[in-house]
Amino acid sequence: MSWLRQALLAVLLLCSGCTATAWLEDRVDDDDSGDDDDSGDDDDSGDDDDSGDDDDSGDDDDSALACRLPVPDHVVLANDVLGDTFVDFYVPTTGWALAALHASRQIAGLADQQIDLRLSPSFFFALALETATFGCTEGIAPDPLDASNQWTRRPETDAQGCMLIEEASVWLDLCRMYPDDLPCDPDGYADVIPSTDQATTGRDNVEPGVLAAGWYAAYAYAMLQYPAAGALADPDAWFADAEDPAATHKLLTWMHWQTPFDTSLASVFTSCAGGPVEDCLSATPWVTERAVSVAAHTADLEAASATSCFDRPLTAALVDDYVDAIAVLFSQSDVEAGRAAAQQALVDTGGEGTSFQVAADAVLDALDAGLTVRLRCPGANLTTFYGIGCPP
């Protein structure tokens, strides 16, 4: 026995009550073979990626293991989802993971306008749980770590897509605010949002739907200044002082269904700064219930994302798939320039099979730069349609 083995044995004997931690690189067990299930991400253009996963785990540092990007995966939820208990949340495809991270990063870009709205990837997953529970995709992939765990197909959600984007309200205002960025011709909504007729189109429109939800959240946040929405002079300051830590998630979810034009918002700002905001929401009870649920799911997922995160290998084919998916939303942009920038970013951060946690943010930032797309508060159009400006 070498001196190193003797030393390790001595440590173990002295610390018989301690907990031992094994790095994933050192494990050779059934769980590791479960990692091969990443290749079971059939939706994701057949990642033969577990060989790429092996490359990542071969890194001498811990970068591929750390949850650097807060994209949760494999979390048992503490709160019911549409009546189901102990839901075992998993991210069905790499496209979902990219879209949630992308929407979050675009929202974070509002800091350039001194707007203090931040929405984590968990918020977009939580919203999807309460809209369609990921059931808007034909042949949705099961959990790659447990084939018995699979999101239920919900074709009744197809007409408004996985994020339930309503044409006459949400999409209408998106086109009022961002006509130069989004496809607002008469067929635009049908191309971008519904998940219908997938056998013909080959599209479930998940990714553009998630991004559209993010852009609507930016608009709705600014609209809190509108007189009918409560005439909130400084949304950033109100949310910073509110006693309800989930106030932002609850109100943005509520407006996703109810729009910013319901007068009960005014009572939130005048009477509920010191308690749960739902106590002052008087609209349809199920809307308020779902707003509270989205906030609860967001908190669960955010808490878990530091240690249980999405980290399958990212490949050139998956990047191409994602660009193809969002191209309908940004059809007025230079899609091919965005594609080339995203692919180059993947090469620069490690190339084919690089860990999602290592490369995804750089790929998405490069994609936006190539598309020349930047989410912003639509000041001039807010003034034109509603007589207000961006938050101070």
Side-chain angles (χ1 to χ4, degrees), residues 160-199:
Q160 295 177 347
C162 235
M163 306 301 282
L164 294 187
I165 304 288
E166 194 164 319
E167 184 173 13
S169 56
V170 174
W171 186 254
L172 174 65
D173 267 323
L174 281 174
C175 282
R176 285 174 172 172
M177 296 301 108
Y178 303 107
D180 296 330
D181 298 289
L182 305 181
C184 295
D185 56 83
D187 297 326
Y189 177 87
D191 291 338
V192 172
I193 300 301
S195 301
T196 51
D197 201 18
Q198 294 176 47

Side-chain angles (χ1 to χ4, degrees), residues 70-72 100 120-127 294 297-299 301-303 305:
V71 180
S120 70
S122 292
F123 172 77
F124 296 98
F125 290 133
L127 185 59
V294 167
H297 302 326
T298 301
L301 293 170
E302 285 180 344
S305 65

